[in-house]
Amino acid sequence: MTTRTIERASKKLWFAAIKPPMYSVAIMPIWVGSAVAFAETSRFDTSIFFTFLVSAILILAWENFSNDVFDSETGVDVNKKNSLVNMTGNKSLIFWISNLCLAAGLLGISTIAARQQDFTVIGLILLCCGIGYIYQGPPFRLSYKGLGEILCFFAFGPLAFAATYYSQTKAWSNTSLAASIVVGIATSLILFCSHFNQVKDDAAIGKKSPVVRLGTKRSAQLLPWVCGSLYVLTTLFVMLHIFPVWTLMIFLSVPVARKLCKFIGSQHDQPHKLTFCRLIAVELHFWSGLLLGLGFMLAQLV
């Protein structure tokens, strides 16, 4: 191998380890939740929006980095080349970087709470962080019991949306709750898809992910139903006059959903080919969230 080839492979490995596309998971609840607030109140505080956005990204970095640390302790990542702990060989360094990200993220959220003279937002985010810890951290490790998708749904769905909407309005919203269900499902879908390429390693150490429990074939057959729920729920909420009709733009993301289902469905039993299938799920999460939020914004502007 040439030096250039090695450098290119190294860059790809670091990209996979840091997971830049995954930060869509942090961005979309802030974007859609703020868009709902704007549609309902005509208010959009850009300083709060960007403070929340940066803080959410930092908190997600904490979760991603600390998860690498926790997984290194169970042996589930022993064959994972893009584990930050495996790449650096320094678990302590990754652990402290993750904690610094958490502290910085919570500091940002605290400035919003201080500005509002109301600790509701920081309380909700601390609850999200608690869920993030019990997801993978000892002694809980609830993701190893197959509860990861449920925890992910609540942390990046209803709780994150409630905090975002409240940061803009200091109020609550049924529409925001409905939108959080759609985005929460799309977020959990990313985690669900990430299990396909590591099903053997998970099973070997007793991690009961949904794909381990159901098997790859049944899990792949379930995928179109989960993807379809994004569009069925959005249509239902439009018919119930909870969502504006503009949110039906989410259907423009259907080709990505089809690509995801076809890709995993045809290769579900070939884990080495599914290493990056989660990136298609991230793409679906990004476009469905972007279009849903845009639909709420247009409802107020048009």
Side-chain angles (χ1 to χ4, degrees):
M1 295 177 69
T2 65
T3 302
R4 184 173 296 179
T5 302
I6 294 172
E7 289 178 352
R8 217 167 21 234
S10 179
K11 287 179 181 178
K12 287 183 178 179
L13 204 57
W14 277 104
F15 183 87
I18 298 173
K19 310 179 184 79
M22 288 293 293
Y23 289 89
S24 164
V25 169
I27 293 169
M28 284 306 142
I30 316 304
W31 157 244
V32 182
S34 298
V36 174
F38 179 69
E40 293 193 327
T41 67
S42 300
R43 295 172 56 187
F44 190 92
D45 190 312
T46 54
S47 64
I48 286 179
F49 175 80
F50 285 109
T51 300
F52 212 140
L53 196 65
V54 173
S55 300
I57 290 171
L58 286 167
I59 291 171
L60 184 59
W62 159 72
E63 186 165 355
N64 287 338
F65 290 6
S66 63
N67 282 351
D68 268 9
V69 173
F70 298 141
D71 279 342
S72 72
E73 296 172 348
T74 66
V76 71
D77 278 355
V78 66
N79 296 315
K80 187 178 179 181
K81 293 181 180 179
N82 61 332
S83 161
L84 286 169
V85 173
N86 291 344
M87 291 176 67
T88 62
N90 193 333
K91 181 171 70 172
S92 179
L93 174 65
I94 302 303
F95 178 71
W96 285 110
I97 290 175
S98 73
N99 286 336
L100 285 173
C101 288
L102 175 62
L106 290 178
L107 179 62
I109 300 298
S110 296
T111 64
I112 297 174
R115 176 176 168 180
Q116 293 185 321
Q117 296 184 323
D118 187 331
F119 292 97
T120 301
V121 172
I122 187 66
L124 288 167
I125 294 303
L126 284 172
L127 186 54
C128 289
C129 292
I131 290 176
Y133 182 80
I134 65 174
Y135 164 79
Q136 204 81 315
F140 307 99
R141 302 190 192 278
L142 295 186
S143 68
Y144 284 65
K145 297 177 174 62
L147 299 175
E149 280 74 8
I150 296 172
L151 295 174
C152 185
F153 170 82
F154 283 104
F156 294 99
L159 288 174
F161 268 73
T164 301
Y165 189 92
Y166 197 91
S167 73
Q168 290 285 337
T169 65
K170 294 188 71 172
W172 311 105
S173 165
N174 289 331
T175 301
S176 176
L177 177 60
S180 77
I181 295 172
V182 177
V183 175
I185 292 172
T187 307
S188 295
L189 187 61
I190 298 173
L191 180 59
F192 182 73
C193 291
S194 73
H195 297 310
F196 280 92
N197 74 295
Q198 55 193 42
V199 64
K200 291 183 179 178
D201 287 340
D202 287 348
I205 58 95
K207 184 176 181 179
K208 302 296 184 181
S209 73
V211 178
V212 170
R213 290 180 181 275
L214 296 173
T216 59
K217 183 177 181 180
R218 290 174 64 189
S219 297
Q221 291 171 339
L222 179 63
L223 199 57
W225 294 93
V226 179
C227 290
S229 70
L230 304 179
Y231 309 104
V232 171
L233 285 170
T234 300
T235 302
L236 176 63
F237 292 144
V238 169
M239 293 173 64
L240 294 174
H241 304 291
I242 298 173
F243 286 3
V245 70
W246 285 100
T247 57
L248 291 176
M249 288 195 304
I250 194 176
F251 276 85
L252 293 174
S253 67
V254 166
V256 184
R258 290 182 62 186
K259 180 171 71 171
L260 177 65
C261 295
K262 183 177 180 181
F263 182 68
I264 292 180
S266 62
Q267 303 178 92
H268 66 86
D269 56 347
Q270 302 176 67
H272 60 285
K273 293 185 178 180
L274 297 175
T275 303
F276 298 107
C277 68
R278 74 189 63 164
L279 294 181
I280 306 176
V282 171
E283 185 182 359
L284 174 59
H285 177 271
F286 174 80
W287 284 112
S288 61
L290 180 68
L291 292 164
L292 187 65
L294 188 58
F296 281 107
M297 295 293 282
L298 288 174
Q300 177 59 243
L301 294 172
V302 176

